[in-house]
Amino acid sequence: APAWLRRLCGHLLSERLLRHGGVQAVVRGVMEGTGGEWGAQGGAGAEAAALDWKKCDAVAKILASCPQQCLSLEDYYRQVCPQILDLLHIQDKVVARQFQRVATTTLLTMARKHPQLAERHMLQPLLSPLLRCSEAAELAVEDLAAGTVLVPEEELGSCVEDVLKVYVVGNDSSSLLLGSLQSVLGVVFSLYSFTKQNVSYLRSPCQEILLWFLEKAEREQSLAVLGGLAGLSSLVPALHPRCRVRVGSEGGAAVVVEETISDEDEALYQKISLEQCHMQSLMELLSHCQKTGLTGDFFIHCLKELTQVAAEDEVTPKAAVEPEGSLLELEQDEARQGRKLLVLQLVATLCESVSDTMFTDIVQVQEFVAAVLQRACASPARGPGTAAEAQTLAMAMGLVAALLGGAVQLQSSDFSVLKRLVPLLEELSRTYPEPVTQELASDLRIAICTHGACAPCTVGTAADSMMGKKPGMGAQSPASIPSGAPSAKGNWAPLQHEHRSPSAHRERSEQQSTCHVGPAPATYADSPAPAGLQELLVSAYDPQPPSRAAALRHLASLVTHRDPEALRLQEKLLQVFLENMQHEDAFVYLSAIQGIALLSSEYPEQILPILLAQYERPAQGTGDAAAAVTRMKLGEVLMRVTRALGDMVFQHRERLIRAFLQGARDPDGALRASSLSNLGELCQHLGFQLGSIVQEVTCCVTAIARTDPKAEVRRAAVHVVVLLLRGLSEKVPEVLQDVLRDLYRLLKHVVTAERDGTTVLHAQLALEELDTVMRRVLFPPQTLEKKIVVLP
């Protein structure tokens, strides 16, 4: 269309848009031609138009853009926003889906473009019925007469449905929308709690709104909101104390102002009943959040709150209720006691309601146990405290023992998570007053450090008690444990310890050296490790470097002599070597490198993939420098394995070269140089078996030698070419026929343009090597041959 026609159409469209009812008229006019005529010509066309999302989005963009005829953006929003909200209330079922789609998309577009104006003219009017009855409302509810209908049934139902359409159906989790919805979540939760006790069509929309927010918000924000809904904080404004939800005549609900109850007993009963109802509704919500792990995180959050409350009680003495005591001190003490009771009620209710499927991964189990251990270590002088605290501590330690005793199949990553408990267990073993608990904490620490290879009998006894079995019946099969939970509901039995005499305690300590129930690989699950090997595993974590290195050397010698007991625990030995490889003492980590290399040469199919995975993806939570050093040590291990395998390394060539090429792109210069050095040695070993991979190696080496800012890295790149030429020797023209010219040009460029003398020397050596090889190929030495021909 001509430009004048477009300008004229836009002017007329904007003019009509700013009139009364203009938004609906414009939407009807634009959307009529999308899928057929509306009205009497049938609903098939309208159904097709409802599915035309692109057309709806285009209309939403038109409505969200301020026309030139409007004096200001705020005036445009003030005129248009109420009309857009009216689109959500279209009763015509034929066009309602289109109008709702346009309204929702327009609101979300406005919120992205102009968040402040959208909040003032869109979101606040949308949430007005819910904000009106909130305890943070500006309206003085106290001044209203009892029985006044603050929010009628029709208005409340329409508001909840609009929130569902805009937030849940629109599904835009921006900070503006989440923040605006958080201000009314307390009222929505009160309405949801009311619908749980009555029959109402608002139950499902309220539940979907609450679950949508808990899913889309950040985990910390979701936990804070759950705490606010439970009453632990004032982050979420609740329903006003004088407001009550009443059953509506049309199946909905209304909010009315309630008269203040003068009878104290009746008021207390009403308050307790309301809190109990809210608690049940909160548990119902959390039961839908178990798969995402939010329920377990909230339980751990409550345990930490309980630990904090207990610590406050230890620091702040209880205020004596005396006549001369100030009113402020009495109120603070009452609030502190009420908060403690609320936290205890939350923990108890969570244990009763969702304890069987609360924890979904090993991280949550670790956080739960850490929270319990921190509480036990907070004030060790007071002893076990109440029976409930002692049972909680026994349950937590029994849970760890059950994991180590084979309740679930633990991987190496799981042990890295459990190692966060080692400092707490060590402190508990030193400071806790009960000897039995001290002993169990020390044994659990040893079992975690050795990855279960050395597990004293106390761990097995605790595991059996945790899983509801008699000691000595063997570990429970992993198949019998429910998925995602370390123990079934009802198996959280506390550990029962009896006080023994000192002589009996000494006898039991002497028997530990021969009583081991640590988990083993599946093929040798029934035979324990010998005592001598267990002592070596424990010595491998000795704080003194000489003792630790000697234990590692001894373990490596057992692998060299193919000791059957050592080879049976190859996975445990690998983990011990890998962890000691990160030690700062050179004697220790070199001993660990030797042990890993020996193990890998014995079982390359099982161990090489693990080493390559750790080389490509270093452990999370370590610094960049520490990760680079660890990867360089792993590179040394891989090269030792390559030398040991010889020609058998061919089947692992692609993963090895990919790992070294990835290391050549690392930000750390030392790691880049180390990876290139390893790549050159690997290419020298492979020789004729390089194949098409030589193209990738050549491109990488060329780019690094020309552009890398570090001289030692460029030096290593040229050294790769030297090793490649030496390894191929006379096979250079055959193997490198496609890249030989590029390598020659690279070497000439380095000789003429490189400023580092050592790099130039490497390039000259490579050119001499290439010249020698090519002369030998082009001008083979002439030899005299003696031929005898028999004539016919």
Side-chain angles (χ1 to χ4, degrees):
W4 66 268
L5 181 57
R6 293 199 303 270
R7 287 195 300 269
L8 181 59
C9 292
H11 180 78
L12 294 175
L13 185 64
S14 302
E15 199 175 277
R16 184 68 186 90
L17 186 65
L18 296 176
R19 295 180 184 177
H20 178 70
V23 172
Q24 188 173 148
V26 169
V27 174
R28 287 183 179 273
V30 175
M31 299 296 293
E32 271 183 347
T34 57
E37 296 297 325
W38 286 10
Q41 294 192 4
E47 184 68 15
L51 299 176
D52 190 3
W53 304 119
K54 293 183 179 180
K55 194 74 172 180
C56 295
D57 294 343
V59 176
K61 291 180 181 178
I62 295 174
L63 297 178
S65 303
C66 179
Q68 297 179 355
Q69 293 89 330
C70 198
L71 297 178
S72 67
L73 183 62
E74 186 161 3
D75 290 339
Y76 175 73
Y77 271 59
R78 187 181 297 109
Q79 297 180 37
V80 171
C81 287
Q83 300 184 52
I84 294 175
L85 292 177
D86 289 339
L87 295 179
L88 297 170
H89 307 144
I90 298 295
Q91 300 298 323
D92 187 358
K93 295 183 179 180
V94 178
V95 298
R97 292 179 60 188
Q98 270 189 329
F99 276 66
Q100 292 171 10
R101 171 70 179 181
V102 171
T104 302
T105 309
T106 305
L107 191 150
L108 298 178
T109 305
M110 288 180 169
R112 285 192 293 267
K113 289 185 176 181
H114 307 284
Q116 294 181 352
L117 294 177
E119 183 177 11
R120 187 182 309 132
H121 298 289
M122 271 282 203
L123 297 179
Q124 289 185 359
L126 175 68
L127 303 173
S128 175
L130 298 174
L131 292 171
R132 196 184 312 157
C133 54
S134 172
E135 63 180 357
E138 298 179 359
L139 179 64
V141 180
E142 291 83 358
D143 299 336
L144 298 177
T148 303
V149 179
L150 194 59
V151 183
E153 176 186 4
E154 183 180 357
E155 185 181 5
L156 184 60
S158 176
C159 176
V160 172
E161 291 179 352
D162 291 347
V163 171
L164 180 70
K165 295 171 186 175
V166 172
Y167 288 87
V168 181
V169 178
N171 198 25
D172 188 346
S173 57
S174 63
S175 58
L176 173 64
L177 293 176
L178 290 175
S180 62
L181 183 59
Q182 182 176 333
S183 62
V184 298
L185 280 182
V187 181
V188 175
F189 180 70
S190 298
L191 185 58
Y192 171 70
S193 180
F194 170 79
T195 57
K196 290 292 293 180
Q197 307 298 322
N198 301 274
V199 178
S200 176
Y201 68 88
L202 295 177
R203 180 189 304 172
S204 180
C206 291
Q207 178 177 313
E208 291 185 27
I209 292 170
L210 293 169
L211 292 177
W212 179 85
F213 181 90
L214 295 175
E215 177 186 355
K216 296 299 180 180
E218 296 291 336
R219 183 53 57 94
E220 294 297 328
Q221 186 179 8
S222 299
L223 294 176
V225 167
L226 285 174
L229 296 179
L232 293 177
S233 66
S234 58
L235 181 65
V236 181
L239 188 67
H240 197 279
R242 281 202 61 192
C243 293
R244 288 292 179 270
V245 184
R246 292 288 180 263
V247 178
S249 59
E250 301 296 329
V255 179
V256 299
V257 179
E258 189 180 49
E259 184 178 359
T260 305
I261 302 176
S262 58
D263 188 1
E264 294 183 359
D265 294 340
E266 181 65 22
L268 181 60
Y269 173 76
Q270 293 289 344
K271 180 181 178 181
I272 294 176
S273 299
L274 185 62
E275 290 178 354
Q276 186 67 27
C277 180
H278 283 184
M279 192 67 67
Q280 293 176 0
S281 302
L282 184 63
M283 294 304 112
E284 179 68 22
L285 271 182
L286 290 174
S287 66
H288 295 283
C289 303
Q290 297 184 60
K291 292 183 179 179
T292 61
L294 181 61
T295 305
D297 288 343
F298 183 64
F299 180 56
I300 296 168
H301 175 74
C302 293
L303 284 177
K304 293 179 180 178
E305 288 286 339
L306 187 60
T307 304
Q308 182 178 357
V309 170
E312 291 176 357
D313 287 345
E314 291 292 330
V315 174
T316 306
K318 295 183 179 180
V321 183
E322 298 178 357
E324 61 271 13
S326 65
L327 183 60
L328 179 60
E329 291 177 353
L330 295 177
E331 289 180 353
Q332 290 178 350
D333 181 70
E334 183 180 356
R336 186 166 55 250
Q337 296 299 326
R339 179 181 177 82
K340 182 177 181 180
L341 291 175
L342 181 58
V343 173
L344 285 171
Q345 184 183 9
L346 273 173
V347 173
T349 309
L350 282 168
C351 290
E352 292 177 359
S353 302
V354 289
S355 61
D356 53 343
T357 53
M358 186 183 304
F359 297 132
T360 56
D361 54 17
I362 195 69
V363 177
Q364 288 185 331
V365 174
Q366 179 268 326
E367 291 181 355
F368 160 70
V369 176
V372 176
L373 295 181
Q374 285 174 355
R375 185 181 174 195
C377 295
S379 53
R382 65 176 182 173
T386 64
E389 293 178 358
Q391 288 186 358
T392 305
L393 178 61
M395 179 185 71
M397 298 180 72
L399 181 57
V400 178
L403 291 176
L404 296 172
V408 291
Q409 191 69 30
L410 295 178
Q411 307 295 329
S412 58
S413 58
D414 298 333
F415 280 104
S416 63
V417 173
L418 290 176
K419 282 188 178 179
R420 302 170 191 169
L421 301 174
V422 170
L424 292 172
L425 290 171
E426 184 176 1
E427 182 180 357
L428 197 69
S429 64
R430 289 187 291 100
T431 60
Y432 203 75
E434 282 192 355
V436 177
T437 305
Q438 286 185 4
E439 187 179 2
L440 179 58
S442 177
D443 293 344
L444 288 175
R445 182 180 64 85
I446 294 174
I448 292 174
C449 289
T450 59
H451 291 239
C454 179
C457 61
T458 53
V459 178
T461 305
D464 292 336
S465 300
M466 185 64 189
M467 293 186 289
K469 302 179 303 178
K470 295 181 180 180
M473 291 180 64
Q476 187 173 346
S477 172
S480 62
I481 305 298
S483 176
S487 177
K489 186 175 182 179
N491 288 338
W492 300 78
L495 301 181
Q496 301 294 331
H497 297 302
E498 58 179 356
H499 295 281
R500 298 179 176 88
S501 62
S503 59
H505 182 72
R506 283 194 301 269
E507 289 179 8
R508 189 171 178 275
S509 300
E510 292 172 357
Q511 292 173 358
Q512 281 188 11
S513 60
T514 58
C515 183
H516 303 279
V517 289
T523 54
Y524 302 93
D526 297 331
S527 55
L533 184 57
Q534 290 188 6
E535 291 177 1
L536 287 176
L537 291 174
V538 174
S539 299
Y541 293 92
D542 194 282
Q544 299 298 326
S547 301
R548 179 179 293 204
L552 294 175
R553 292 282 181 176
H554 198 166
L555 289 173
S557 67
L558 292 179
V559 176
T560 304
H561 293 90
R562 303 185 61 83
D563 183 79
E565 298 297 338
L567 297 181
R568 179 175 64 85
L569 298 176
Q570 54 173 301
E571 297 180 2
K572 305 299 179 184
L573 292 179
L574 177 63
Q575 293 301 323
V576 170
F577 287 138
L578 286 175
E579 290 168 10
N580 280 278
M581 191 180 64
Q582 301 178 7
H583 199 275
E584 59 184 6
D585 189 83
F587 191 33
V588 174
Y589 71 71
L590 287 176
S591 302
I593 287 175
Q594 180 185 6
I596 299 174
L598 291 172
L599 265 179
S600 303
S601 60
E602 292 290 338
Y603 301 97
E605 296 294 338
Q606 291 81 12
I607 297 180
L608 260 184
I610 300 175
L611 299 178
L612 288 170
Q614 293 198 11
Y615 186 84
E616 295 172 359
R617 294 182 296 276
Q620 298 294 329
T622 57
D624 295 339
V629 171
T630 302
R631 292 177 70 182
M632 284 189 281
K633 294 175 182 177
L634 283 172
E636 173 64 24
V637 174
L638 293 173
M639 292 319 302
R640 292 193 183 193
V641 176
T642 300
R643 300 187 198 106
L645 290 177
D647 293 338
M648 297 297 294
V649 78
F650 172 73
Q651 56 183 334
H652 307 286
R653 62 166 187 169
E654 294 185 0
R655 289 202 61 182
L656 284 168
I657 291 181
R658 182 172 70 246
F660 292 142
L661 289 177
Q662 183 178 349
R665 299 174 56 189
D666 194 84
D668 189 271
L671 180 58
R672 293 200 303 273
S674 173
S675 300
L676 288 171
S677 177
N678 295 334
L679 180 63
E681 187 172 351
L682 178 63
C683 292
Q684 185 179 15
H685 280 290
L686 287 173
F688 191 73
Q689 297 174 337
L690 271 173
S692 60
I693 301 178
V694 72
Q695 295 280 357
E696 301 179 23
V697 176
T698 304
C699 292
C700 175
V701 169
T702 303
I704 292 176
R706 289 177 179 270
T707 62
D708 199 280
K710 298 284 188 179
E712 60 269 17
V713 181
R714 299 195 302 271
R715 194 180 306 161
V718 177
H719 186 60
V720 172
V721 181
V722 177
L723 293 177
L724 185 61
L725 295 175
R726 288 178 182 173
L728 292 173
S729 187
E730 296 182 359
K731 301 175 184 176
V732 166
E734 184 178 356
V735 178
L736 303 180
Q737 56 181 346
D738 297 330
V739 298
L740 192 57
R741 184 178 60 179
D742 298 333
L743 291 177
Y744 177 74
R745 290 177 176 176
L746 171 65
L747 296 174
K748 295 295 290 183
H749 168 78
V750 172
V751 170
T752 56
E754 178 59 48
R755 292 174 294 178
D756 181 64
T758 307
T759 307
V760 174
L761 178 61
H762 280 296
Q764 291 174 346
L765 292 175
L767 285 174
E768 292 178 3
E769 190 77 28
L770 182 60
D771 180 72
T772 303
V773 171
M774 295 307 299
R775 286 180 181 276
R776 191 181 304 120
V777 173
L778 295 176
F779 308 105
Q782 296 183 1
T783 57
L784 296 176
E785 296 181 358
K786 186 176 182 179
K787 294 184 179 180
I788 300 176
V789 180
V790 179
L791 297 176

